[in-house]
Amino acid sequence: MNDLSIVLSGEAGQGINSVEKVLLALLKKTGYRVYATKEYMSRVRGGVNSISIRVSCDEVKAFVKHIDILIPFEKAAFSHLKDRISDETIIIGDKKKLENERVIDVSFQQIATEFGNALYVNSVAVGLVSGLMNLNRNEVLNFIKDIFAKKGDEIADKNAQAAESGYEIGTNLVSKKIITLDVCKPETKLDNFMISGTDAIALGAIAGGCDCAFAYPMSPGTSVFTALATYSHKAGILIEQTEDEIAAVNMAVAGWYAGARPIVSTSGGGFALMTEGMSLAGMTESPLVIHIAQRPGPATGLPTRTEQGDLNLALYTGHGVFPRAIYAPGTTQQAFELACRAFNHADQYQIPVIILTDQYFVDTFYDTPAFDLDKIKIDRHIVKTNDNYQRYIITDSGVSPRGIPGFGSGFVCSDSDEHDENGRITEDLDGICIAMKNKRFKKIELIKENSCRPELYGPENYENLIVAWGSTYHMIAEAIDKINNSKTAMLHFSQVYPLHKDTESLLKKSKKLILVENNQTGQFGDLIKLETGINFDHKILKYNGMMFTVEELMDSIKEVL
Amino acid sequence: MNDLSIVLSGEAGQGINSVEKVLLALLKKTGYRVYATKEYMSRVRGGVNSISIRVSCDEVKAFVKHIDILIPFEKAAFSHLKDRISDETIIIGDKKKLENERVIDVSFQQIATEFGNALYVNSVAVGLVSGLMNLNRNEVLNFIKDIFAKKGDEIADKNAQAAESGYEIGTNLVSKKIITLDVCKPETKLDNFMISGTDAIALGAIAGGCDCAFAYPMSPGTSVFTALATYSHKAGILIEQTEDEIAAVNMAVAGWYAGARPIVSTSGGGFALMTEGMSLAGMTESPLVIHIAQRPGPATGLPTRTEQGDLNLALYTGHGVFPRAIYAPGTTQQAFELACRAFNHADQYQIPVIILTDQYFVDTFYDTPAFDLDKIKIDRHIVKTNDNYQRYIITDSGVSPRGIPGFGSGFVCSDSDEHDENGRITEDLDGICIAMKNKRFKKIELIKENSCRPELYGPENYENLIVAWGSTYHMIAEAIDKINNSKTAMLHFSQVYPLHKDTESLLKKSKKLILVENNQTGQFGDLIKLETGINFDHKILKYNGMMFTVEELMDSIKEVL
Amino acid sequence: MDKKDWLNNEVDIAWCPGCGDFGLRNIVAEAYADLGLKKEELCMVSGIGQAAKSPQYYNTSYFNGLHGRALPAAAAIKMVNPELKVLVQSGDGDVYGEGGNHFIHNIRRNADITVIVHDNMIYGLTKGQASPTSQLGHKTPIQVDGVIEEPFNPLAVAISLGATFVAKSSVHEKELTKELIKQAIQHDGFALVDVFQSCVSFNKINTNQWFRDNTYILGNDYDPTNKIKAFEKSLEREPWPLGLIYKSDSKVSYNKNIPMFENDNTPLYRRNRDSSVIKEIMESMK
Amino acid sequence: MDKKDWLNNEVDIAWCPGCGDFGLRNIVAEAYADLGLKKEELCMVSGIGQAAKSPQYYNTSYFNGLHGRALPAAAAIKMVNPELKVLVQSGDGDVYGEGGNHFIHNIRRNADITVIVHDNMIYGLTKGQASPTSQLGHKTPIQVDGVIEEPFNPLAVAISLGATFVAKSSVHEKELTKELIKQAIQHDGFALVDVFQSCVSFNKINTNQWFRDNTYILGNDYDPTNKIKAFEKSLEREPWPLGLIYKSDSKVSYNKNIPMFENDNTPLYRRNRDSSVIKEIMESMK
Ligand SMILES: Cc1ncc(C[n+]2csc(CCOP(=O)(O)OP(=O)(O)O)c2C)c(N)n1
Ligand SMILES: Cc1ncc(C[n+]2csc(CCOP(=O)(O)OP(=O)(O)O)c2C)c(N)n1
Ligand code: SF4
Ligand code: SF4
Ligand SMILES: [Mg+2]
Ligand SMILES: [Mg+2]
């Protein structure tokens, strides 16, 4: 076993998220590479949720099906996780409560109540895993004390004691050979950070000069909004929770007009309400940055689940023709760079840029090396106006220099009606109206020239090519590694629109094309067909609201190779 | 000359629309076949607008470029209509005011003011044309009196006198051979109706059982809403102007839920705001009928102009996957039948049905034989519920019997979250959630089976096939007739989604495929490519806000044949 | 049906233990029972949020629509199917935030619906952001410096919009709440009952204790028919007055105002149309 | 700049001859001139409608956004660029109908913007449907039986939302309108000036003559600082009171309430960020 898959499952509000945070930190401190993701129901208490942690000495960044150690706090975990529990899964918990013969009995609840609070089960669990993994006992206990310090000495002590009990049980289980874990010991310690998809987008936005956020709460899009609020003092970000999504997008467009760099973060249903606002950005050639964390629809759908189902919406939303760019990061590095780039490109081309993530990605923690801050910069493409300034002057490139009201002596006039070079309403149909339509259309080519090249993962001389976008990156990469077929590679698009000009040739090099998407119909496949005429030989689609696991991808891919 | 193209042009508010109405009625009374369309600026007074009338003994239903007789009330008409005025165009008007040498001088304004009101120019114009066409003098004058009767005897008399002056000038111009019109004389009189695209949709809706309308005003979509309001007493229609488009679509979905048959009428920008509501209809499997009269975008765009630019929006709007149907009538007959069918099919399949028209179509008057009312019927697909009723029971077809609250003893539960067969929220991801997704998806095939077959116009053994949809029908048909190429036909889609199953074979029979769309990118061409893989050899696209003329289509088609 | 019959106890209720939503659910079921409503005549409507899950937990027909869109849905149901009693249960965010425009215009529309707002002064389902009724200074993960926007006053706004039944209660006052809801259901026209409700998970300020400490029940001497006085009353804070703040019988509800329903309450789905109507209309286009 | 300089006379004005919009345009330009505004410091904002075309007809920077969305745009511009004076001119349909939710929440937000609503009690640009302020019984091509919905009372609603500057005027009272607009511009916070404006093409009821016959100017004895009295005044009809209905200095505007702008009015576009901030935040994720 060169890595370990640990899963905790409990009700909402039972605190398993705190286990996630503490365990990750402890394991990382010890030198392990870690990964964690969560899946949860749309409720605040009750139900059944789980967190999945992977620990390894090598990089580990994908969601796997198998569970090595399962700590269920509730009986419901068994049916909830039935597809992931195998004969090899070690299950640790309150045997009586769980009513399951296979369970290695640890009386979490009793220990916790002994220390005075049922919530201490979480510290017991942290201690237990630390013991199993043979982490440094003092480090563990001190760390727990530090974490709880702000809640007062007593609570800190009690938690540490609960953890200590867990720790002992853990070492005991190992020493008594009841549990044998064959895990590597990390040799070097990397100077990495635990960064969630949310953090990566928020940091990238800050790096890109994002100075305000207009949003209306909606899971899972709220995550980025909340992160920006958290850093608002440090980074100087104006945070405004709007009355609805329509206000958010209109405030954002107007904010850009007035010189700021707003972001909007939402999910499919909220974005649906921004359709007219997208079109406003298109007509006024306004920069705009919208982050959509996707979840399954239609309508309210499954609010806390994941899907790559909003690509079509992002592609076609807004009436009328206008250019846009759509990013879909699959790694924290890409998320950081693209979120930063979104602001610069939105400003450069005066277009809406959409960043498509999903619940899985924003809620997953990856250990990530420090982002390269030398590469990033804030490019403000604005000009100081003079008396003759014309906001929509026709230029060769289609881009007109963008002024800001109050910066220079010119008038900056922006109109949602068809307008002339001054931004004033016109009905000169065959004159300036057509010229404006063509001007806006022209920019699509310009954006295309700067599209991100899709990343090839695997052999250059591939014969089987798996095409993917967004958050499935790591799962497919690990599946390819494990299948270990020298002719199979992945082409991953972190920009899904406009497609990079090499797309067609890269696809045509392959003999077999396999599409992997976390949605019902293969929306990206449709886009590729439309733009290149290329059909896929196989489509691997999942749409039950959960991310692909490495194992099921391996199976599906092998099946079609 | 077997038909005559007459154009009047003036400022908004000058009354040329009244000329349109009166002239059409008079000509039709005499036995002529007539057609009229208008184009106008987004303002209530001033600017420059025009109405175009065609008169013939044969059916005449298309917009033409050439003008036989032009009556400009303002100088601006010359530059406004410059592309349509040729050396053959007879121009009649106030020579001095118009400052144009070619004008045949008729002092409209002076005559009108003699009778006491500048607006009488319109009656002078009606009289003039009637005189030129040698219509029955008494019939004309009596008709005018009748029309103005409700404004009082004096006004009626004055208008009749103004018309009489015009009539005399008209006959004089002919007798003095200043103008020679070689128009046919109608032999038989058809029992036809003057029906605009608006009327056809409204009548079709009434035929389909539409019993309420929820809408927010927006040109050109307001037209159908207004027509329904006009007939609301006669037909028993509840008319509610909503606070915004979001209310309109939500009230419509809820109205269907409660057993009514609401329609929503809007335009692209308003429909953009209904994106989330569309998705709600998708999730709750609610019937829904939305009429979109298209106008050019993005954003506010050109509010009173025409375009076929909202197809993509109609196709992809709404987050999540759900079935829908999209109609695009090209004739009043189709509009009537499809509007009726929209209600029955929406109810049968429990889906949103979109009727796509455009400003050109809703504002154009066609003389149309009586609609066949025997064919139409109101199919209400609702059931009386019992105690065990389940709104979303899984069935083979994917359609669950639809109950109405209060009709029977069962509970009718509708939810925008993913739900079970009872309509209650669930997170049983791999169980009922997937089953519901598949159930909804399945209906697409069902709808496809009942898609309208595209209509072939021209020879069966075509080699060149012009593919079109919606309002361009008559222009292309006339162009084909006039080109008179025995190998060229049109395939016209009055249902654009889902495509009829014969689409691919019908297209593949042709050697050369020509796409004609009134938009910038060929959105329907993209859909065909996506669904069939077929590419077009030529695309004839127009996107300046105006309808194609027969002449320009003839030129463009000949060029690529 | 008695209270028990109204409650659906087969489903797993997704609320947190201790949530005020439970209390309101019981009260509403009792009100239904007291009024002797028949199950065929009720339709419940909600948007999205914790409060908006309420309809799921009764034995009733319901329309659980989009976030913020409870009111247009409820009004439309009543307008086309006037035989139904239509009752909305939804959240303060749903009705006053996302749905604010519908709040305005449905009061103007005055369809005969009852609107119970679970006013927990927070966004519960999305985990604790400020709602329009959150009080000044309230800190949340988004409002890190505390709320700075003037709290929305649903009562004052409803009165200023011409609402004819405006009531305020708190879930800890069961009897009062029940009585107000019963009166609201019986009122002809748009009836608003804004109810303080405790979100035990995310609102640690406006707790049940806070409600107890900061409210009082209006005495019998209070006259709810004087609009100006009602407005004045609606501005009172700490303590907040509970009870029927304003009521007027000066208006009739939407359906009674339109000719179609003048002498005929038949729902639209039971009306038939003669195709001769189409002929008749077509004739006018000759 | 004097009045002439503010007016853009190079464009073809799309309004009907005799439309009240012309009058308001003149009055606003005079107000600008009187206040000695500089062209670089003004930004006008509107939605869509006849009134909303106004900004086109001045020499000024403007943001002519979507129908109903003037207020969020205006507020955002002021919030991120507080050096600008932001003035909205838009229609009653735009601000109270489609934009109703923004009306509510921007009053709560209280950004320092001036909002002039051209209240012609009709939808002008779309040719004469009822607007939220159309009076009961008003017949239109859509409201064939006359308006049945309670007319929206912008003043009462604004007061109930906690607005601190609420004024009413009529375009036929030029001096009064100008004075109110000037005061509104100088007021710190959301300032509403609802102005009767005649739509000569589509509102044949509420004409200039009707405005003259049905309004009166508030006397000096009227005290606009008493909220309850102001509410009462805002309900008066036939005649309608014109003047400053309510004003309060009890609040500061949005930007003054947030730390970022506390001692620093620099617009966001002139602020720079040190990339060390990102390092610092990242460190917290170790
Ligand atoms: C269009 C849209 N925007 C946002 C959301 C996310 N959302 C769900 S519930 C909710 C607010 C809940 O607050 P409230 O209405 O007060 O109800 P509570 O949960 O407090 O009872 C939000 C913002 C959504 N579902 N749809
Ligand atoms: C989303 C959207 N819905 C509808 C319209 C159509 N529309 C344009 S202006 C207007 C109303 C105009 O009324 P008002 O705001 O009172 O302005 P007025 O013309 O009377 O000055 C409407 C409904 C639109 N442009 N956009
Ligand atoms: S989060 Fe708050 S409102 Fe929601 S169920 Fe829990 S306590 Fe109730
Ligand atoms: S339609 Fe009415 S509001 Fe519009 S410009 Fe004409 S008079 Fe003015
Ligand atoms: Mg709430
Ligand atoms: Mg108006």
Side-chain angles (χ1 to χ4, degrees), chain A residues 25 28 191-195 199 203 205-212 214 231-244 246-247 250-261 276-277 280 284 336 369-371 373 376 378 380 382 387 404-417 422-425, chain D residues 1 5-6 8 11 39-45 47-48 53 55-67 69-81 83-84 98 101-106 108-109 125 254-255 258-261 267-273 275-286:
Chain A
K28 209 168 68 60
D191 201 23
N192 276 7
F193 302 85
M194 280 316 298
I195 300 221
D199 296 329
L203 283 170
I206 295 172
C210 172
D211 50 18
C212 56
F214 297 111
Y231 310 132
S232 59
H233 283 234
K234 274 209 179 81
I237 305 171
L238 188 152
I239 298 290
E240 180 61 11
Q241 179 180 319
T242 57
E243 56 273 31
D244 56 27
I246 298 175
N250 279 279
M251 292 181 84
V253 171
W256 276 98
Y257 163 81
R261 290 196 148 195
E276 198 196 11
L280 173 67
T284 57
F336 176 76
F371 294 130
L373 300 183
I376 60 129
I378 298 175
R380 279 189 199 273
I382 58 178
D387 284 357
I404 298 298
F407 182 44
S409 65
F411 297 127
V412 182
C413 302
S414 208
D415 208 301
S416 75
D417 290 85
N422 290 314
R424 285 191 154 75
I425 297 184
Chain D
M1 310 228 294
D5 301 321
W6 281 108
N8 176 347
V11 289
K39 66 173 180 165
E40 290 85 356
E41 69 181 332
L42 181 71
C43 182
M44 294 187 71
V45 178
I48 293 295
K53 286 179 181 162
Q56 312 260 348
Y57 308 138
Y58 299 87
N59 289 315
T60 180
S61 287
Y62 63 76
F63 183 88
N64 185 175
L66 294 172
H67 181 55
R69 316 305 168 189
L71 298 194
I77 290 167
K78 182 72 191 186
M79 285 155 68
V80 306
N81 199 337
E83 286 178 353
L84 294 171
E98 183 89 45
N101 206 27
H102 313 306
F103 183 70
I104 293 179
H105 295 282
N106 278 298
R108 297 184 48 228
R109 195 167 271 135
L125 187 56
Y254 184 93
N255 288 59
I258 52 174
M260 273 182 88
F261 290 99
L268 297 185
Y269 79 91
R270 287 210 309 274
R271 297 184 183 214
N272 287 314
R273 175 176 296 147
S275 74
S276 68
V277 166
I278 302 167
K279 282 217 189 72
E280 206 181 300
I281 298 173
M282 239 179 350
E283 274 319 308
S284 71
M285 298 170 183
K286 263 268 158 77

Side-chain angles (χ1 to χ4, degrees), chain A residues 44, chain C residues 15-16 19 21 50 120 124 197 199-202:
Chain A
V44 172
Chain C
W15 291 323
C16 311
C19 174
D21 287 335
Q50 299 286 28
N120 55 11
Q197 177 258 98
C199 172
V200 296
S201 292
F202 295 112

Side-chain angles (χ1 to χ4, degrees), chain A residues 300-351:
Chain A
T300 312
L302 292 161
T304 60
R305 302 299 172 176
T306 203
E307 187 165 290
Q308 296 185 301
D310 296 337
L311 175 58
N312 274 343
L313 193 70
L315 276 169
Y316 297 106
T317 202
H319 52 297
V321 174
F322 54 92
R324 68 190 77 193
I326 307 175
Y327 300 151
T331 71
T332 44
Q333 190 64 41
Q334 286 174 352
F336 176 76
E337 280 171 19
L338 288 171
C340 170
R341 184 189 160 106
F343 288 84
N344 293 330
H345 277 206
D347 211 347
Q348 182 174 1
Y349 304 122
Q350 303 173 22
I351 54 163

Side-chain angles (χ1 to χ4, degrees), chain A residues 533-547:
Chain A
I534 296 174
N535 283 299
F536 284 86
D537 302 295
H538 301 282
K539 294 189 181 180
I540 299 174
L541 305 173
K542 181 171 182 173
Y543 55 97
N544 69 343
M546 291 290 294
M547 178 39 75

